[in-house]
Every structure is written in structure tokens, then in C-alpha cells.
Amino acid sequence: MQWGQIKTLFILCFLILDVFLVYQFINKTEQAQLVLLPDTSIEEQLEAEDIQLQNLPNDTPKKTRIYADRYDFEEEDQERLAERENQKSSIGENGKILTSVFNEPVEIDLESDKSKISSIVKEEIIFGDEYEYWGYNEKWNVLIFFQLHEDNPIYFNESGVVLVSLNEEKTGLIGYLQTRLVDVKSTGKEQDLIKPIQAISTLFDKNQIYSRDTVTEFDIGYYTLVPLQEGGNGVQFFSPTWNIHVNEERNYFVNGLDGQYIAKEEDEFLERMNKKKTDLEQPIRGGES
């Protein structure tokens, strides 16, 4: 092969290498821009879909994972309820569940605001200040109360909830099922939660937010990391979680530390709770249709 041909071959090889390096540089630059500007990107997408954000928090709080144990209801808890005269209570699942029925329905108005409904129920249960009213489930005809940790609710956990059944007319409370978490402790140092806009981005990517939706509120609570096994009595762990309200009618959960979407399954949760028995008539009704 002539020297001229060899030189031409080397030149072509270097040209190909230069083109490849330029392509790699441009590609990495574009990726870096995407990483550096995630908030702008999602905000542009939301604007294009006419999705409104209201009450977007300015500050991202620090939180830590927590763990807790299940409370054992005791005879003295039943004695406290017996003093109220209108209740007959029973303890089941090795002390982990308290069930109570009212001799006469406790009058209630579902159209009242949350604070009034909450105050009525808290007067009838023990440890009432530890729970917060979540809402009413029409299918099961129950009021749902979640246990609090430092004013933040622990969402949909079978060991920290009060479920209050209504009569068929929906005018009176007829009984309730209660579980309770105790010895709540932190697992380590506090960490910055993901920004609210990042949680919105997760919901947008999961097709949970639609065109012309309005995100109305952002709350922080806790969600179970690993569900309690059937009959389990062990310690449970919870992660700080964003609760995002959409159109004042839908709620979505996003893990506040790793940004993972958490599917809420309210009816399945109530169905599991409905299977928990004591020697009293089961207070959770409905759901069969």
C-alpha cells in the first residue's frame, strides 16, 4: 500500500473519531440540561395541559422515617368505655382490636363540617385526640379516622385507624372498630423531602393528573413501607409521604423521600378491616353490593 493511501486512511479515521466525540459531547450536554432544569420542564408541561397549582408550599420540610408497635387494648380500656353507658365493647385479635357498639345511635349530620363530625366521634372513643377525620366512604357507610404522629396522619394503616359505622339512614353512629399504634420512634436523621413540584411530576408521569385539573392542596403524612402480615404483631415502618389533593375530590400519595407513586386502595383497605372479628356484631357494614 502506498504511503499516500495510508495517510488518507488515517485522516478518515480521525475524522470519524472527531464526529463521534462531538456527538457524545452534544448528547451529554442535552442530558445535563434536562437534569438541571426539571422544575421548568414539568411546569411547562402543566401549563400546556392547563393544570393549575394552588397553595404550592414554598419550603420543603425535613422528615424522617418512623416505626411503631401495635397497642394492646386491656380490660381497663373497656372499663373506661363502660362508664359512658351507651357502649358495649369487646377486644379481639389478641388484644390488638377494640370493637364497640352503641346501645342507641349517636346522632350525626354528614353535611356538617369535618371539625364538628370529628368532635362528636372523639367524645365517644378513647384516645380520641390521637386521630384525625379523613372522610366518609359511601360504599361501606363508614367514617374513617387516621391516627396522627406529631399532627401528621398515618394513612391507611390497619394498626392505627378508627372506622365508625352509620345506620342505614346515615343519621346516627351505630358502632366502631379501633386500632392504635404506640412507641413511635424515628429511624435516623431528618432528610429533605422531595419538592412538591417533583411529586406533581410523578403523578403527571403516571397519568394521574389530567388536563384542566387543579391541584388544590399539599399535606404531609406517613405511609406504610411494608404491610403487616396476616396475624403479625411486629414493629411497622412508615415513610413520610406527600398527600396531594386534586379538584378537592381526589387524593394521591407520593413517597416524600424517594418520589415513588403510592397507589391508594381505600375499598380494599376497608374490606381487609371488615374481616377482623370480635365476639360482638361486626360494626363495619356495607360493601357487599
Side-chain angles (χ1 to χ4, degrees), residues 5-19:
Q5 292 176 319
I6 295 174
K7 188 165 63 171
T8 301
L9 183 61
F10 271 111
I11 292 172
L12 288 174
C13 289
F14 279 114
L15 283 174
I16 292 172
L17 179 61
D18 287 342
V19 170

Side-chain angles (χ1 to χ4, degrees), residues 122-138:
K122 287 181 178 183
E123 288 177 3
E124 302 295 339
I125 66 175
I126 54 177
F127 312 114
D129 290 338
E130 297 180 10
Y131 299 84
E132 179 179 79
Y133 180 44
W134 166 262
Y136 170 69
N137 183 285
E138 185 173 6

